[in-house]
Amino acid sequence: MDNDDHAASILGSLIEGAADAIITTDLDGLINRFNAAAEMLFGCAAPELIGQHISALVPPPRRSEFALWLRLVTQEGRALRGDTEVLGKDGQIIQTYVSMSPLKDAQGTIAGALLFCVDISARLTLQNVLQKERDLLEAILETTNDAIIMVNSARWVVSANLQFEAFFHLARYQIINQPVEVLTEQIKMRPDLPDELVNILLTFVGDAYQSAGGDFEIGGPQLRVLVWYSSPVYAHDGTNVGRLFVFRDATREREVDRMKTEFVSLVSHELRTPLTSILGFTDFILDGDAGPVDGQVREYLDIVKINTGRLIGLINDILDVTRIEAGRVDLKRSLCFIDELIDSVVQSMFLVIDSRRQQLTLKIEPDLPPLWIDRERIAQAFTNLLSNASKYSPADSELIVEARLVREPEDFAAGAPPDIFVPAIQVAVHDRGMGIAPQDQKHLFTRFYRAEQAARRQIAGTGLGLAIAKSFIDLHNGHIWFQSRLDYGSSFYFSIPLVEAE
Ligand code: ADP
């Protein structure tokens, strides 16, 4: 075998063994080679096709394009490639990538065309699926009412939806695929957009761990409240791919909330006036000022009085809650001694506690320094705790009230929060009552929340007392906490720091 024959034989084996379909034609486009991979792709045996024109492998609409390719390759020596369609067995269309180049003889003269064909239908199907998913995600992003922006881990803005453009009047094309600083610079130049928006973006953009949220107002022709939320985004494999920022227009919600609070406050005021008059006249009759009151009538009037008192108490609680919600509680501070405050509350509750034959023990440290507080509010908080201790404890049980000065954070009773201020006065109310189940404990201090035990035993209450107590204590930079065991008892604590007069 001479060298040429040897080379031709190696080339032949290479072509036959190639994974891609390889076809060669002469200058007229007649097929003269059709390898095994081509047989697989087209589903025809080589002898069936050898000698046929290449256009037999191409669907009619593509034939003129193919004829042009063949001419450019064989006559002008060009090499062409691209995605196209070919005809498989039984006329089946196969998506393929075809590369067509001139085939030259030993003298370098073009003798025909060499075609590589790769089946790309699987790739196209996958591409289609991916594209559909992308379209769907994009459609969701574009349709949502929230403004959404995604910043990748390299701090580049990679996506911003239509609402983002609408909320902030920032053109998307100017910020997408740009560092986040391009966006923050644009925000800074806009007087209607708050600095807070820049701070939110710059503070959290590089943070791969924390979620955060809040709200802020934006100007423009009409003031709007935006609630925002941001969290890191992770890929399947757990790598951080960036951060999502979501903004929701809560203007209407806030307005409705404000109107609701105002309405409740108005109605409560209107209810309180006639109730106070009912209570006053009931007392008037009970005192005998309207004539003698016999036993049965007195009994009924006592019930009217108790229930009217309860209603007034409830309305006062609701008014407190609405004031707290609206941030309208102004503290009227003065220097007060906690022992005197405790004494006066105990006296006002004495009848209730005594009617249950409960024993109240006071353990007040002597010479406690005065507190700079709103006496009414702290008395209210303490009343709520003492009244709960009595209400949720059986008759004949013992209640203990303690007050002491605490100088070091570790000297507070167990369960105190870590960031508590010292020096402070700690007041405790202990009872041997029904206690609070662990699943209820985490919800205490939430408005209208009542533990299952209390509700089941039909002990009257609204679930407002603790929430109000907490708000009043918070306003004094104090803390409130508790320890409780079901069927054993509870201890509620609050601390008020000894702050200097403002
Ligand atoms: P209310 O007593 O009007 O229901 P509170 O806000 O004062 O409202 O209390 C909320 C709930 O916490 C009560 O319903 C009760 O289930 C529980 N709770 C509060 N104090 C005690 C206590 N000392 N012992 C047992 N449960 C209590």
Side-chain angles (χ1 to χ4, degrees):
M1 200 192 275
D2 66 18
N3 273 351
D4 279 359
D5 287 347
H6 185 61
S9 142
I10 290 180
L11 187 65
S13 310
L14 273 177
I15 291 176
E16 266 318 298
D20 294 337
I22 300 176
I23 304 164
T24 59
T25 70
D26 63 11
L27 286 173
D28 298 323
L30 298 179
I31 297 171
N32 49 28
R33 195 161 207 142
F34 201 79
N35 75 349
E39 287 183 325
M40 286 277 292
L41 176 64
F42 290 91
C44 308
E48 287 174 48
L49 285 159
I50 290 186
Q52 298 250 17
H53 193 268
I54 187 77
S55 61
L57 296 173
V58 182
R62 295 276 184 178
R63 281 187 188 150
S64 57
E65 175 193 30
F66 237 74
L68 177 69
W69 276 37
L70 192 66
R71 211 181 59 222
L72 292 173
V73 168
T74 53
Q75 294 178 10
E76 295 182 20
R78 305 250 308 260
L80 303 164
R81 56 178 66 104
D83 290 349
T84 184
E85 291 164 338
V86 294
L87 269 184
K89 201 173 176 217
D90 307 325
Q92 175 208 353
I93 303 272
I94 309 166
Q95 306 290 337
T96 40
Y97 169 79
V98 173
S99 107
M100 196 189 282
S101 52
L103 191 66
K104 295 179 179 167
D105 62 16
Q107 284 72 45
T109 317
I110 297 174
L114 171 69
L115 286 89
F116 282 88
C117 304
V118 182
D119 184 350
I120 56 165
S121 30
R123 193 189 85 199
L124 285 182
T125 313
L126 190 67
Q127 257 178 6
N128 272 339
V129 171
L130 287 178
Q131 187 59 42
K132 271 194 190 138
E133 272 181 21
R134 238 193 120 87
D135 289 350
L136 181 69
L137 270 179
E138 227 159 68
I140 294 173
L141 271 183
E142 294 299 279
T143 330
T144 173
N145 278 333
D146 298 347
I148 299 174
I149 183 169
M150 168 88 189
V151 184
N152 70 9
S153 46
R155 301 168 66 94
W156 280 54
V157 176
V158 285
S159 176
N161 71 350
L162 197 66
Q163 281 299 337
F164 186 84
E165 212 167 48
F167 269 32
F168 302 110
H169 301 293
L170 289 163
R172 281 192 280 185
Y173 74 91
Q174 290 179 344
I175 53 166
I176 292 182
N177 294 327
Q178 301 282 350
V180 71
E181 285 75 16
V182 171
L183 168 62
T184 52
E185 282 312 309
Q186 290 211 19
I187 298 173
K188 279 185 202 163
M189 287 187 310
R190 287 267 304 279
D192 57 325
L193 296 180
D195 293 345
E196 210 169 337
L197 182 55
V198 173
N199 296 344
I200 291 167
L201 289 166
L202 294 183
T203 307
F204 292 104
V205 80
D207 188 331
Y209 303 102
Q210 292 186 75
S211 291
D215 53 45
F216 59 87
E217 287 179 353
I218 60 175
Q222 173 213 358
L223 199 73
R224 284 183 302 160
V225 181
L226 290 196
V227 175
W228 63 275
Y229 174 80
S230 171
S231 71
V233 181
Y234 297 97
H236 279 306
D237 61 0
T239 48
N240 176 252
V241 288
R243 237 187 130 85
L244 198 69
F245 294 87
V246 181
F247 304 86
R248 190 166 53 82
D249 192 338
T251 317
R252 174 101 192 100
E253 235 169 84
R254 290 291 159 91
E255 179 59 14
V256 170
D257 226 36
R258 195 189 55 75
M259 280 159 56
K260 186 196 76 189
T261 308
E262 255 175 29
F263 174 74
V264 172
S265 160
L266 187 87
V267 170
S268 308
H269 271 294
E270 293 304 313
L271 283 174
R272 201 163 56 165
T273 318
L275 278 172
T276 313
S277 145
I278 293 172
L279 193 64
F281 277 104
T282 312
D283 273 336
F284 183 78
I285 300 168
L286 277 170
D287 289 347
D289 294 339
V293 185
D294 78 7
Q296 184 77 60
V297 175
R298 178 170 293 277
E299 204 178 297
Y300 292 154
L301 281 178
D302 274 337
I303 296 173
V304 171
K305 184 178 163 168
I306 288 171
N307 283 308
T308 313
R310 239 190 227 164
L311 263 179
I312 293 177
L314 172 62
I315 289 169
N316 284 339
D317 279 356
I318 292 176
L319 276 173
D320 277 340
V321 167
T322 50
R323 269 192 219 112
I324 292 166
E325 264 186 2
R328 278 204 319 251
V329 180
D330 295 324
L331 295 184
K332 295 187 199 76
R333 291 192 193 240
S334 62
L335 277 179
C336 292
F337 288 96
I338 197 78
D339 50 346
E340 286 175 18
L341 184 149
I342 291 174
D343 271 345
S344 73
V345 170
V346 164
Q347 268 181 33
S348 71
M349 288 199 53
F350 181 76
L351 278 180
V352 179
I353 295 174
D354 195 51
S355 69
R356 295 188 180 123
R357 298 184 308 280
Q358 288 163 333
Q359 253 203 359
L360 177 65
T361 309
L362 296 183
K363 296 183 181 170
I364 316 283
E365 205 175 87
D367 304 323
L368 286 172
L371 287 169
W372 178 244
I373 51 172
D374 183 327
R375 194 182 184 288
E376 281 285 298
R377 313 282 196 206
I378 297 300
Q380 176 73 56
F382 176 61
T383 306
N384 292 359
L385 297 189
L386 187 58
S387 121
N388 280 352
S390 163
K391 200 161 65 160
Y392 298 113
S393 300
D396 297 313
S397 63
E398 191 188 13
L399 310 175
I400 303 171
V401 170
E402 275 181 298
R404 64 184 172 87
L405 181 63
V406 178
R407 293 186 188 282
E408 300 299 331
E410 56 273 18
D411 294 338
F412 282 108
D419 52 344
I420 194 159
F421 297 109
V422 277
I425 288 181
Q426 173 188 280
V427 177
V429 182
H430 307 282
D431 68 57
R432 287 301 183 88
M434 61 173 66
I436 303 155
Q439 68 269 23
D440 288 316
Q441 293 192 6
K442 51 181 176 292
H443 302 293
L444 244 57
F445 305 114
T446 312
R447 279 181 296 134
F448 300 110
Y449 187 82
R450 306 207 64 211
E452 202 197 320
Q453 285 276 332
R456 192 146 29 92
R457 296 196 201 174
Q458 299 194 324
I459 300 173
T462 55
L464 289 175
L466 286 181
I468 292 172
K470 179 170 168 26
S471 301
F472 288 164
I473 305 277
D474 285 350
L475 284 170
H476 287 82
N477 284 330
H479 284 91
I480 185 164
W481 71 100
F482 66 96
Q483 299 268 292
S484 183
R485 245 171 72 194
L486 202 57
D487 301 326
Y488 183 83
S490 313
S491 295
F492 279 82
Y493 305 91
F494 68 87
S495 78
I496 308 274
L498 301 183
V499 283
E500 301 300 329
E502 283 160 70

